[in-house]
Structures are given as structure tokens and as C-alpha cells.
Amino acid sequence: HWSLLMVDRRERERPVAYHYDSAGRLNDQPAAQLARRLGAHLEPTRITQQQNGYDCGVFVLDGTRALVGRLGQRRQPARLHLDYLAVDRQALQNRLRG
């Protein structure tokens, strides 16, 4: 199962990690362990939940795309929830094909 851990290191002394898991809390423990190893405080966050057992990778890719777009606009981390994410497997396949 894939999930996404984003670490915000803009404040070098106080990094913050955001964990996005489209299958609920499946990867909470590994995400917490990795955040600790990186010296980051783990903040709760939200992402749309997948409705099947196989689209976690699509959620990670579309979630990463959404986050990069928002960060490029210099949005604050409080606005980085992904509970609005509308994942479209076919649209992702089309983008990857070019």
C-alpha cells in the first residue's frame, strides 16, 4: 500500500510532516517512525478515501501533483488537506502517455 509523507522544512528547527493515506490509517505507524527519524512533528491531515483496494498509487500521484501545485503558489500548510481530491485513473493514464 502506498501513502504520501510530505515534510515541510521551511523552518529548519521545526520541520513538520504531513501524512496522506487514502486507505484510512493503514500506514500511520511507518509514517510516524519516518517523521521521527527526520526530526519532524507529524501533523494530522485529510485526503479523500479510495473506494477500492488498488488505487493507492493513483492517489499518491494525484495528491503529489496537487500539493506541488499549491506549494508553487506559496500556500500555507494549513490549506494542504486533500479531502477534495477527485482521483481519475483514466486522466492519469492519459497524462502519463503524453
Side-chain angles (χ1 to χ4, degrees), residues 59-97:
F59 275 81
V60 166
L61 292 173
D62 278 357
T64 300
R65 183 173 184 250
L67 288 170
V68 167
R70 286 176 153 200
L71 291 171
Q73 297 171 359
R74 303 222 185 270
R75 297 218 178 148
Q76 295 301 312
R79 297 188 185 121
L80 293 181
H81 292 294
L82 295 176
D83 49 358
Y84 67 89
L85 197 63
V87 170
D88 184 342
R89 175 183 278 271
Q90 187 61 53
L92 175 61
Q93 288 175 335
N94 292 342
R95 282 195 308 271
L96 292 174
R97 286 188 188 125

Side-chain angles (χ1 to χ4, degrees), residues 23-34:
R25 303 182 64 160
L26 219 75
N27 283 342
D28 275 3
Q29 187 176 15
Q33 289 173 344
L34 183 53

Side-chain angles (χ1 to χ4, degrees), residues 6-12 14-18 40 71 76-77 80:
M6 181 186 80
V7 179
D8 180 352
R9 299 184 64 93
R10 287 178 289 185
E11 291 185 39
R12 294 242 182 241
R14 298 183 55 185
V16 180
Y18 299 90
L71 291 171
Q76 295 301 312
L80 293 181

